[in-house]
Amino acid sequence: AEMDRKGIGGGAPQGESICVVPEPGFVAKTRSVTNKGRKVFINLCTSEHVDKCGEVPAGEDGGEAQVRIPLSLGPPHEDLDKDGTACTVYDCVLNPETVAEAQKDRQFRLFMMELICSSVELKYKEELSADFTFPKLRTGYKGVSPLPQ
């Protein structure tokens, strides 16, 4: 899959896509509401080609400032969990600073995971449980290696 240029810094001119090979970050595990509780792993990968997160100024109505977290979400792929049961895996690519912040700050990590769940639901019509665990995988990645996006 090629990365959409929205929210991506540098690289190809506007409207063109670039191919990015992300680096492993950490893994989140949850279950699919849509697919009857099937295990779902989300690989949180990094690439400098994805913009850093930043605040969007509050509107004139005086509302709260919002945080924008640019990301690239790859298509679902199949893998096996440690028991040999089929599971679904998504690769989500974020800026390295965003992933580092999520590893340090629990509230930010939960906010980021909510955003990723919304993205999965919008893009792939799969509703995920908001109940996440963060298994310690030696490589920081579920699967062989991050797929190019």
Side-chain angles (χ1 to χ4, degrees), residues 48-61:
E48 293 288 348
H49 291 285
V50 178
D51 283 346
K52 296 174 186 173
C53 63
E55 278 196 14
V56 177
E60 289 182 24
D61 61 0

Side-chain angles (χ1 to χ4, degrees), residues 11-135:
Q14 192 67 31
E16 291 182 29
S17 58
I18 55 173
C19 188
V20 172
V21 180
E23 294 291 321
F26 67 98
V27 179
K29 179 173 114 177
T30 189
R31 294 199 175 265
S32 172
V33 175
T34 310
N35 291 317
K36 300 178 180 74
R38 178 181 174 134
K39 277 187 198 172
V40 175
F41 292 88
I42 299 173
N43 289 313
L44 295 129
C45 304
T46 66
S47 173
E48 293 288 348
H49 291 285
V50 178
D51 283 346
K52 296 174 186 173
C53 63
E55 278 196 14
V56 177
E60 289 182 24
D61 61 0
E64 287 185 46
Q66 297 180 334
V67 176
R68 183 176 155 272
I69 303 179
L71 59 86
S72 174
L73 181 66
H77 52 278
E78 294 255 319
D79 202 350
L80 299 176
D81 68 10
K82 66 181 183 219
D83 300 325
T85 306
C87 59
T88 303
V89 181
Y90 290 95
D91 288 354
C92 183
V93 186
L94 302 123
N95 184 276
E97 287 183 24
T98 305
V99 171
E101 183 63 26
Q103 287 175 305
K104 286 189 308 212
D105 181 339
R106 183 176 177 275
Q107 282 304 110
F108 181 75
R109 181 171 59 234
L110 294 175
F111 171 72
M112 187 179 81
M113 294 313 302
E114 278 180 35
L115 175 68
I116 293 167
C117 283
S118 297
S119 297
V120 167
E121 194 168 349
L122 282 170
K123 195 168 180 179
Y124 299 112
K125 309 293 182 249
E126 181 168 15
E127 184 184 347
L128 302 179
S129 164
D131 187 16
F132 281 93
T133 59
F134 299 92

